[in-house]
Amino acid sequence: MTAEMFTLGREPASYPGSQPESGYGSSRPAAPGTPRRIRSPVTLVSVGLVLAALVALGLLLLRHGPKEPADGGPSGALTSPTAPATPKRQSLRDQMPPGVRIGSAVDGRSLSLDPAYRDLLGSEFNAITAENAMKWRSLEPVPGVYAWTGADQLVEFAERHGQAVYGHTLVWHSDVPKWVSPDWPAERVRAVLQEHVTAVVSRYRGRVWAWDVVNEVLDEDGSLRDTVWLRKLGPGYIADAFRWAHAADPGARLFINEYGIEGRTRKADALVKLVRELRRAGVPVDGVGFQSHLRWDQQPRDLLGNLRRFADLGLSVAVTELDVRIALPATPQKLERQAAVYRQVLQACLAVPACVSFTVWGFTDARSWIPGYHRGYGAACLFDTSPAPKPAHAALLDELRRHSARGGIVPSPG
Ligand code: G3I
């Protein structure tokens, strides 16, 4: 291949960047000594015309082109005066009345790895609960060696997003680290339990607004659940756990959290009795958490009346783990009934001044415990897997708007 060939314009068209004769951008620099090509008058005129056209277009754009968006959004974002601004999607946290938090359980992996998940979590909720990161097995897999990272990340995220943290959970019969042996003498069991409660609550002192001190202490028949704590320490372990937590952070609200108490059940009756006895004994129980893992086709019997009777004990009440599972497939009719259940639970919480928090157990069907635990069920959350808002999300927004339109006045039933 000789030099002349090049001068007469038969350059191989394929290799990129051959426009500029030499220097950066071209895939291969011109060989030294290659004579420069002389341009014909016609070419010069056409180049001139093109340049002129470009200048004209530039001026035109300057005068009539896109303007910087008023809200200082990303530069270059195209918001011409004619194009309708994309309406900011109404979020639940924007609509919540003062004094009631709207929360979600947080999946640690998604919090670290999924920006869309983080965005929705930050924009929709003003409170969060660790779905698993603050459980004993996650925090202290090896005796005395704490794995704080997941829990720290969650608390830091909440602080960056103006969210309250609801701590879940200090004493539970599940997720107990394997190194806690039921064969230990009672004093040793008691010592490690006290050490754990104190270590966790102290670490987040002033940064966690409430703790599930004990979780699921009752059996379905209302008796105390047969756990290693009950067997080794007797029923007093509940009061001790509250006193240890209170000593570690006197400012934190301390809850007893339970499921199957959303309606007038034997378990709910037993919990009223237990809490009344604890408070009479001066145990610092501040509130009761209603987990509320519900079904689309089953409405709790008298949720409002039940919330009220716990509130009448001088307690705060909170919906702590709400989801409404659907027998799949999730048809539009089932999604509407699901929305009605979500709305009913929110109405009950808004109707009871002592109801301080309304938390869903995960907000997207993409990150829900339901399919893994309730075979044939799913679609339990406010957002689908994309995550797009479902009728349940719209129902909650609508109920909050109606509530604020009524000036927060709760219509008397019937
Ligand atoms: O993180 C490990 C992972 O490393 C391992 O590969 C995988 C396979 O075994 O397990 C992962 O841990 C799982 C963890 O969720 C995180 O996904 C545990 O096995 C699994 O048991 C745990 O399930 C949680 C369950 O509580 C038990 O802690 C669910 O996500 C969580 O939604 C559920 O939440 C409970 C509340 O705490 C109390 N009330 C009822 C509610 C629903 O069961």
Side-chain angles (χ1 to χ4, degrees):
M1 186 179 319
T2 62
E4 272 68 32
M5 282 173 59
F6 274 100
T7 56
L8 298 180
R10 278 179 283 142
E11 291 171 7
S14 63
Y15 70 90
S18 62
Q19 285 81 8
E21 289 291 324
S22 61
Y24 63 82
S26 69
S27 58
R28 170 155 69 89
T34 316
R36 296 189 54 73
R37 267 187 319 158
I38 311 299
R39 297 218 176 285
S40 70
V42 177
T43 329
L44 283 174
V45 171
S46 47
V47 168
L49 284 174
V50 170
L51 280 176
L54 282 174
V55 171
L57 182 62
L59 288 173
L60 209 68
L61 277 175
L62 269 178
R63 186 166 305 119
H64 301 294
K67 304 278 176 294
E68 277 303 314
D71 62 359
S75 61
L78 290 181
T79 52
S80 71
T82 50
T86 42
K88 183 174 171 299
R89 188 172 48 73
Q90 287 275 322
S91 82
L92 294 169
R93 71 180 289 176
D94 296 344
Q95 300 292 322
M96 283 309 282
V100 189
R101 293 187 173 91
I102 178 95
S104 177
V106 177
D107 170 66
R109 251 179 79 71
S110 309
L111 186 69
S112 326
L113 304 174
D114 184 343
Y117 181 94
R118 284 197 295 273
D119 292 350
L120 213 44
L121 180 66
S123 62
E124 283 290 331
F125 302 100
N126 59 19
I128 58 177
T129 303
E131 184 173 8
N132 292 298
M134 286 185 174
K135 290 172 180 170
W136 198 351
R137 185 173 63 176
S138 310
L139 281 176
E140 196 183 3
V142 177
V145 181
Y146 278 86
W148 298 115
T149 315
D152 287 355
Q153 276 174 349
L154 182 131
V155 174
E156 285 147 19
F157 177 90
E159 288 166 346
R160 284 197 305 276
H161 293 79
Q163 297 167 319
V165 177
Y166 188 102
H168 176 79
T169 177
L170 299 169
V171 181
W172 190 21
H173 62 275
S174 175
D175 287 52
V176 179
K178 292 204 170 20
W179 54 265
V180 176
S181 164
D183 308 328
W184 284 348
E187 307 68 55
R188 187 158 179 208
V189 172
R190 183 183 174 76
V192 293
L193 188 61
Q194 179 170 7
E195 154 56 32
H196 176 69
V197 170
T198 308
V200 177
V201 177
S202 310
R203 182 178 181 84
Y204 298 111
R205 180 176 176 134
R207 304 174 74 193
V208 165
W209 80 278
W211 282 100
D212 279 339
V213 176
V214 296
N215 188 40
E216 301 171 8
V217 297
L218 294 179
D219 220 327
E220 305 321 311
D221 61 1
S223 63
L224 284 179
R225 183 186 293 273
D226 174 22
T227 66
V228 61
W229 314 125
L230 184 68
R231 284 194 300 278
K232 285 289 173 180
L233 308 177
Y237 82 88
I238 297 173
D240 292 341
F242 274 93
R243 293 193 178 103
W244 297 331
H246 184 65
D249 185 354
R253 314 279 296 164
L254 304 180
F255 280 70
I256 184 166
N257 192 43
E258 192 55 88
Y259 69 88
I261 59 165
E262 293 77 20
R264 298 254 176 186
T265 59
R266 279 171 59 191
K267 205 173 183 181
D269 298 348
L271 189 61
V272 168
K273 188 164 163 297
L274 172 64
V275 171
R276 192 180 279 131
E277 284 160 9
L278 288 169
R279 285 178 57 95
R280 271 209 199 109
V283 179
V285 180
D286 300 307
V288 169
F290 292 71
Q291 291 188 10
S292 309
H293 293 290
L294 308 175
R295 275 176 44 157
W296 65 288
D297 57 350
Q298 276 176 348
Q299 312 238 353
R301 197 163 54 81
D302 191 14
L303 173 63
L304 176 56
N306 207 40
L307 278 178
R308 280 203 171 118
R309 69 175 170 153
F310 280 94
D312 294 348
L313 296 172
L315 288 163
S316 297
V317 292
V319 173
T320 53
E321 305 183 15
L322 175 62
D323 49 27
V324 182
R325 60 187 179 277
I326 291 180
L328 300 173
T331 61
Q333 296 72 19
K334 289 179 185 174
L335 289 170
E336 283 310 326
R337 289 190 57 189
Q338 176 189 57
V341 176
Y342 268 100
R343 184 192 290 269
Q344 188 219 358
V345 179
L346 179 61
Q347 282 171 337
C349 180
L350 294 174
V352 178
C355 187
V356 292
S357 162
F358 180 91
T359 292
V360 294
W361 203 242
F363 60 88
T364 164
D365 294 337
R367 292 280 174 281
S368 166
W369 71 291
I370 295 287
Y373 282 74
H374 292 279
R375 201 158 294 294
Y377 282 82
C381 303
L382 296 172
F383 291 78
D384 64 18
T385 54
S386 16
K390 292 159 66 179
H393 182 268
L396 294 187
L397 273 180
D398 178 64
E399 191 55 37
L400 291 169
R401 286 197 204 100
R402 289 163 184 267
H403 184 74
S404 61
R406 286 191 303 265
I409 311 301
V410 176
S412 53

